C-alpha cells in the first residue's frame, strides 16, 4: 500500500532587480499623478476656470503649459532611465528626482478646502509612499563586491561587468 502525500506548490519568487522595482514605482507614480489631475477636472469650477484661461490662479500660457508638461514628462522619462542608465548614474538620478517630487506633490494641496482633504490626503499620501519606496530602493541599491585583479581571479572576473 502506497501513501500519496501531496505538498502545496510553492510559487517561485525570484528577487526582483532594483531597476525593475524603480521602473514599476515610477510607472505607478506617473499613473496616479495623471489620474489625480484628470479627477481634479470634476471639482466644481475647475473646467470653467480653464475655459476662462485660468489654472488655479495662473493664467494659461505657453510657459505654464510647458512647466506642466515637464512635470508629467519627468516621471515618464524616469521609467525608461531607471531601466537603461548604468547603476552608478541611475542611483543618484532616482534619488534626486524622487526627492524633488515630494515637495512638488505636497504642493498640490495648496489652496484646497477642508471638503477636499481626503481626496488630496489620499492622493498625496500614496504619491509620497511611492516616492519613499523609490528613495529607499535607490539608496539601498546592492553593491557588487570588488574582485581583486590578477591571474588567480581571472575566472571570477569573467561574469562581472562594470
Amino acid at each position: 500500500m502506497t501513501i500519496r502525500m501531496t505538498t502545496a506548490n510553492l510559487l517561485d519568487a525570484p528577487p526582483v532587480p532594483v531597476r525593475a522595482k524603480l521602473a514599476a514605482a515610477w510607472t505607478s507614480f506617473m499613473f496616479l499623478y495623471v489620474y489625480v489631475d484628470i479627477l481634479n477636472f470634476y471639482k466644481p469650477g475647475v473646467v470653467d476656470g480653464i475655459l476662462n484661461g485660468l489654472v488655479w490662479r495662473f493664467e494659461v500660457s505657453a510657459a505654464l503649459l510647458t512647466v506642466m508638461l515637464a512635470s508629467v514628462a519627468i516621471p515618464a522619462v524616469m521609467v525608461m532611465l531607471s531601466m537603461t542608465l548604468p547603476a552608478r548614474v541611475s542611483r543618484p538620478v532616482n534619488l534626486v528626482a524622487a526627492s524633488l517630487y515630494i515637495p512638488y506633490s505636497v504642493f498640490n494641496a495648496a489652496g484646497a478646502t477642508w471638503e477636499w482633504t481626503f481626496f488630496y490626503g489620499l492622493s498625496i499620501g500614496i504619491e509620497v509612499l511611492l516616492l519613499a519606496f523609490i528613495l529607499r530602493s535607490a539608496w539601498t541599491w546592492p553593491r557588487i563586491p570588488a574582485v581583486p585583479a590578477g591571474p588567480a581571479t581571472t575566472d571570477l572576473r569573467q561574469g562581472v561587468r562594470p
Side-chain angles (χ1 to χ4, degrees), residues 20-30 130 133-134:
K21 289 179 184 180
L22 291 169
W26 279 113
T27 302
S28 296
F29 177 83
M30 187 185 68
L130 286 167
F133 176 81
I134 291 167

Side-chain angles (χ1 to χ4, degrees), residues 61-133:
S61 66
L64 177 66
L65 294 181
T66 302
V67 169
M68 290 176 157
L69 176 62
S71 74
V72 175
I74 292 170
V77 171
M78 286 305 299
V79 175
M80 188 269 309
L81 292 178
S82 296
M83 292 298 291
T84 59
L85 286 176
R88 293 180 76 149
V89 177
S90 182
R91 181 177 184 260
V93 167
N94 274 281
L95 290 170
V96 168
S99 296
L100 292 175
Y101 264 88
I102 289 175
Y104 192 81
S105 291
V106 173
F107 172 76
N108 283 326
T113 62
W114 284 107
E115 179 184 6
W116 294 95
T117 302
F118 189 71
F119 174 78
Y120 286 109
L122 182 62
S123 64
I124 292 168
I126 296 170
E127 286 177 6
V128 169
L129 285 174
L130 286 167
L131 292 167
F133 176 81

